Every structure is written in structure tokens, then in C-alpha cells.
């Protein structure tokens, strides 16, 4: 995704669990403040960032790398060519996140998932949310999100509940391979394109 990666000898690209792996269907457990501040979890976050970069995703939840804990990361660039994104989102790391809907009006996006490679599906979600979470120092924090960011956040936090976007397709008959999506399902102007 065009981001610089430090020359880190401990960098690890993790294996991503794919649809059908039971770890994706578990409800992930919360992490304690002590765990969040531990070297083990710091290394997991770094490895998840490296993995997300390597796979070219915009978000990654810990269950996707076989760690059933309530941790997700997301990051995207406004100039990312595959997405219709207006604003960049610097890397956001959330522990034990809770979603509060601020505007229940549904917004539809074509979503993808590194655990469901090569596929796209249209999903409608609440258009504006607030997420309360613990940051990397285990300090309580919150962020408001709408548009593309709101969709990515809800997609990632669903992973912590064992829920995948394929469970929420607004029209299962339009579920498509990426190539066919590009050929037959180009989004309307007010729709966006999301893949993580
Ligand atoms: Zn996903």
C-alpha cells in the first residue's frame, strides 16, 4: 500500500485464517491492561501491521491471525487506488472495542476480507458510530467514524464476535468474485469500495 516499512529483523508476516477455519467463528476474549502493555501483545500488533501491509488490507482483526483476542487494527490512504476513499486513516489500534451507533441510517459498501480472498459482497451498516476502546497504553479512548471508516471499523469489530461480512450480505445473489464484481457490479457514485 505504499507505506514505508522499517527494516525490522523481527518482522513477521502471519498466516491468515480463511473462511471455514473455526477460529473466525469464536467470540474473542478481552485483553487485560497488563496484557495490552506486554511485550507479547506489542509484538502481535507489530506483526499484524506487517501482515496487513503485506497483504494490502485496510484492516485486520486478531482472530484472522489465529489469536482469539479483542484486538483490531486499521489503516488506509486516501490515494489508495483500489478504494474510493476521501480521507486517509492513520494506523488505529483498538483493544476491547465497543460500538455505539450514532446514526442508524444504513450506508452500503462493497466489502472484501483477507479471510475470504478474491470475493466481494455488498453490505449495509449504520452510517455513523462511536467506538470506545483501549489504546496501546491501555488508556480509554474513543473515535467517531462515518462513511468508509465506519464500515471498516464495524467489519473489523464483527470479527471479534465471530461474524463475517458474508453473514450480512444485503443481497446474497450479488456476492461475487472480484473480477466479476469489477465487470458487473461497479458501484454507484455514492457507493464506495472496501476491502480488508
Ligand atoms: Zn475481514
Amino acid at each position: 500500500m505504499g507505506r514505508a516499512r522499517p527494516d525490522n529483523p523481527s518482522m513477521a508476516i502471519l498466516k491468515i485464517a480463511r473462511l471455514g477455519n473455526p477460529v473466525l467463528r469464536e467470540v474473542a476474549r478481552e485483553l487485560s491492561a497488563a496484557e495490552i502493555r506486554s511485550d507479547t501483545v506489542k509484538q502481535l500488533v507489530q506483526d499484524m501491521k506487517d501482515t496487513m501491509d503485506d497483504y494490502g488490507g485496510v484492516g485486520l482483526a486478531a482472530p484472522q491471525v489465529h489469536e482469539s483476542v479483542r484486538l483490531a487494527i486499521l489503516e488506509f490512504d486516501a490515494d489508495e487506488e483500489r478504494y474510493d476513499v476521501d480521507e486517509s486513516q492513520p494506523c488505529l489500534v483498538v483493544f476491547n472495542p465497543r460500538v455505539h451507533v450514532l446514526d442508524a441510517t444504513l450506508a452500503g459498501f462493497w466489502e472484501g476480507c483477507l479471510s475470504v480472498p478474491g470475493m466481494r459482497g455488498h453490505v449495509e451498516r449504520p452510517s455513523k458510530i462511536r467506538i470506545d476502546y483501549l489504546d496501546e497504553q491501555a488508556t480509554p479512548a474513543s473515535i467517531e467514524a462515518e462513511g468508509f471508516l465506519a464500515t471498516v471499523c464495524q467489519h473489523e469489530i464483527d470479527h471479534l464476535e465471530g461474524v463475517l461480512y458474508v453473514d450480512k450480505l444485503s443481497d446474497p445473489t450479488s456476492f461475487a468474485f472480484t473480477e466479476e464484481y469489477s465487470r458487473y457490479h461497479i458501484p454507484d457514485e455514492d457507493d464506495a469500495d472496501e476491502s480488508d
Side-chain angles (χ1 to χ4, degrees):
M1 301 192 59
R3 287 189 289 274
R5 184 188 298 155
D7 183 16
N8 179 353
S10 68
M11 189 183 82
I13 307 300
L14 304 173
K15 187 175 181 186
I16 291 190
R18 300 199 299 174
L19 180 66
N21 189 315
V23 72
L24 295 173
R25 296 307 193 171
E26 293 175 15
V27 176
R29 73 171 178 86
E30 293 204 332
L31 286 161
S32 69
E35 285 178 305
I36 290 169
R37 298 189 195 106
S38 70
D39 290 343
T40 302
V41 169
K42 283 190 171 73
Q43 186 64 53
L44 174 60
V45 169
Q46 184 59 52
D47 290 346
M48 285 175 63
K49 289 177 182 176
D50 294 335
T51 301
M52 184 173 70
D53 280 355
D54 191 68
Y55 280 82
V58 297
L60 189 65
Q64 293 183 274
V65 292
H66 307 83
E67 296 289 346
S68 192
V69 295
R70 301 185 82 81
L71 156 63
I73 64 174
L74 55 95
E75 178 177 23
F76 49 82
D77 297 328
D79 61 358
E80 170 56 49
E81 289 180 3
R82 289 173 304 145
Y83 319 116
D84 180 16
V85 182
D86 295 331
E87 292 183 29
S88 295
Q89 172 60 49
C91 191
L92 178 67
V93 179
V94 298
F95 294 95
N96 305 342
R98 294 183 192 279
V99 174
H100 303 271
V101 174
L102 300 179
D103 183 348
T105 307
L106 296 176
F109 289 83
W110 283 88
E111 300 189 19
C113 182
L114 294 178
S115 294
V116 192
M119 304 295 293
R120 290 294 174 96
H122 191 267
V123 179
E124 294 181 324
R125 301 178 187 273
S127 59
K128 188 173 182 183
I129 58 170
R130 188 185 79 241
I131 301 168
D132 297 333
Y133 62 97
L134 299 179
D135 67 15
E136 290 176 89
Q137 288 74 47
T139 304
S142 68
I143 183 173
E144 287 191 8
E146 51 191 328
F148 184 70
L149 178 60
T151 277
V152 176
C153 287
Q154 290 173 88
H155 175 120
E156 296 312 325
I157 292 171
D158 271 356
H159 275 298
L160 309 182
E161 299 297 334
V163 172
L164 300 175
Y165 84 91
V166 296
D167 306 338
K168 295 188 165 180
L169 298 174
S170 51
D171 174 9
T173 68
S174 68
F175 189 42
F177 287 103
T178 305
E179 279 185 11
E180 313 306 327
Y181 154 80
S182 300
R183 192 173 299 164
Y184 299 113
H185 301 281
I186 295 298
D188 298 332
E189 266 192 4
D190 57 357
D191 247 355
D193 178 12
E194 190 265 318
S195 178
D196 67 291

